[in-house]
Amino acid sequence: MRLGVIDVGSNTVHLLVVDAHPGAHPLPDYSHKVDLRLAEQLTPDGTISPEGATRLSTFVRDCTEVAESRGVSELMGFATSAIREANNTDEVLEQVRRDSGVRLQVLSGDNEARLTFLAARRWFGWSSGRLFLIDIGGGSLELGAGIDEDADAVASLPLGAGRLTQELQQFGDNPSDADLKELRKRIRSEIASVHRPIVKVGAPDRVVGTSKTIRSLGRLCGAAPQADGPYVPRTLARADLTEWVPKLAAMTPVERANLPGISTSRAPQMLAGAMVIEAVMELFDVDQLDICPWALREGFILRRLDGLDY
């Protein structure tokens, strides 16, 4: 069957069309996305702005037309932190449904972590043993650990690269050492609050990182470019990342966009993203992680094929 999945994230809204069959891996057919940056569309009272809601519903309507043109038999959609944390979630979802006919499913942070963990498990397989998953989006950081397809422990924290970048922007393009120190302290305090339940699962046999931010950091630190295909092994070493954090802090977003693997749209968020991933790797004593090309969208599709409703 040909499935379409609309992923409404804090940075990007992305339609992925795949050919999917039970027992087979989803085969990508077409991708259609736009940088809506919904996390930046929040008003002071915590609601998605009317402009943001309208842009979202318009794009989702466009996605339905693209899906029809690609022969999609079933179109699904989900939303993550930007929508679930807004004070007008129901109103935005109703506007999208009314304008496009699509009912977006709002995922909890825990379910987001579990679905991403499932994708990583299916990609790397049972021979990887106990996994520790690190996934960072625009609005939140998800962690998961376990030996099976369903993680034994998960955590979701408000430490997304986009969210923290908005905090840093009040200090300009080059935050002071004191500003960065304060943010670093808060990041580590949040992560430390979920350290115990994750490590109680046991020492991981493989540490996995997913998300565009981690893929970009991996490329920056020497991993193979995306053009080499998804099956090339890619890693991110903590020592390399630690070297880059102060360099990224000293650069403007324009300068970061000239670095390998970093797009203009993602450049402003790379410092915050690097600080979060470095903190996770240090606090959980991770020297190196393996970069997984599958993430939440693939996990959502796999769960659908398994016949389970999240």
Side-chain angles (χ1 to χ4, degrees):
M1 62 193 303
R2 179 159 286 188
L3 297 176
V5 177
I6 303 170
D7 174 359
V8 180
S10 298
N11 287 322
T12 305
V13 182
H14 189 168
L15 166 68
L16 179 64
V17 177
V18 299
D19 288 322
H21 307 274
H25 71 279
L27 185 65
D29 168 74
Y30 190 78
S31 177
H32 181 53
K33 61 184 176 181
V34 65
D35 286 328
L36 284 188
R37 301 197 177 279
L38 286 174
E40 298 176 11
Q41 296 290 333
L42 286 175
T43 63
D45 64 356
T47 62
I48 300 288
S49 69
E51 178 187 0
T54 298
R55 290 181 63 198
L56 173 60
S57 63
T58 299
F59 183 74
V60 173
R61 187 176 64 239
D62 292 344
C63 288
T64 65
E65 296 173 0
V66 171
E68 181 179 350
S69 72
R70 303 301 303 182
V72 167
S73 58
E74 181 178 345
L75 181 63
M76 307 173 289
F78 63 84
T80 55
S81 64
I83 296 295
R84 72 171 172 253
E85 295 173 11
N87 288 334
N88 59 337
T89 298
D90 292 341
E91 291 85 347
V92 173
L93 294 178
E94 175 57 25
Q95 181 173 340
V96 170
R97 186 205 61 77
R98 187 175 61 247
D99 293 348
S100 68
V102 175
R103 295 182 182 274
L104 294 175
Q105 182 176 352
V106 179
L107 297 178
S108 69
D110 282 359
N111 276 348
E112 193 175 339
R114 291 187 183 281
L115 289 171
T116 308
F117 185 90
L118 171 64
R121 167 62 73 194
R122 293 278 177 93
W123 180 268
F124 287 111
W126 294 110
S127 63
S128 293
R130 186 177 288 107
L131 293 183
F132 174 39
L133 170 79
I134 306 168
D135 174 64
I136 183 171
S140 60
L141 168 74
E142 274 70 46
L143 304 174
I147 193 71
D148 297 317
E149 289 198 334
D150 188 22
D152 295 312
V154 295
S156 180
L157 298 168
L159 296 176
R163 184 195 299 266
L164 297 181
T165 297
Q166 284 185 273
E167 295 184 22
L168 283 175
Q169 284 174 341
Q170 64 182 308
F171 305 116
D173 284 345
N174 295 108
S176 69
D177 289 343
D179 298 328
L180 292 175
K181 183 177 180 180
E182 185 61 30
L183 179 61
R184 181 178 182 271
K185 178 181 177 181
R186 186 165 70 78
I187 288 171
R188 287 163 191 257
S189 176
E190 292 259 13
I191 295 169
S193 71
V194 300
H195 184 271
R196 181 170 173 75
I198 297 292
V199 298
K200 281 180 67 177
V201 172
D205 299 299
R206 186 171 216 152
V207 180
V208 177
T210 71
S211 78
K212 177 64 175 177
T213 295
I214 288 181
R215 291 196 299 271
S216 296
L217 290 171
R219 179 74 185 99
L220 179 63
C221 294
Q226 186 175 351
D228 286 0
Y231 301 113
V232 176
R234 294 173 173 87
T235 61
L236 174 62
R238 180 175 41 158
D240 294 334
L241 185 58
T242 297
E243 277 189 28
W244 269 105
V245 169
K247 295 178 185 177
L248 291 171
M251 293 179 176
T252 66
V254 172
E255 291 170 329
R256 292 176 202 150
N258 291 319
L259 297 171
I262 298 181
S263 65
T264 300
S265 62
R266 293 278 176 172
Q269 300 185 11
M270 295 314 298
L271 172 59
M275 291 174 68
V276 171
I277 301 307
E278 180 194 28
V280 175
M281 294 180 80
E282 286 191 359
L283 289 171
F284 286 91
D285 195 25
V286 174
D287 292 327
Q288 179 174 287
L289 60 78
D290 294 318
I291 300 173
C292 180
W294 279 6
L296 177 58
R297 280 186 296 276
E298 288 78 12
F300 192 87
I301 292 167
L302 291 167
R303 185 61 77 198
R304 166 66 183 85
L305 292 176
D306 289 345
L308 300 178
D309 183 9
Y310 261 62

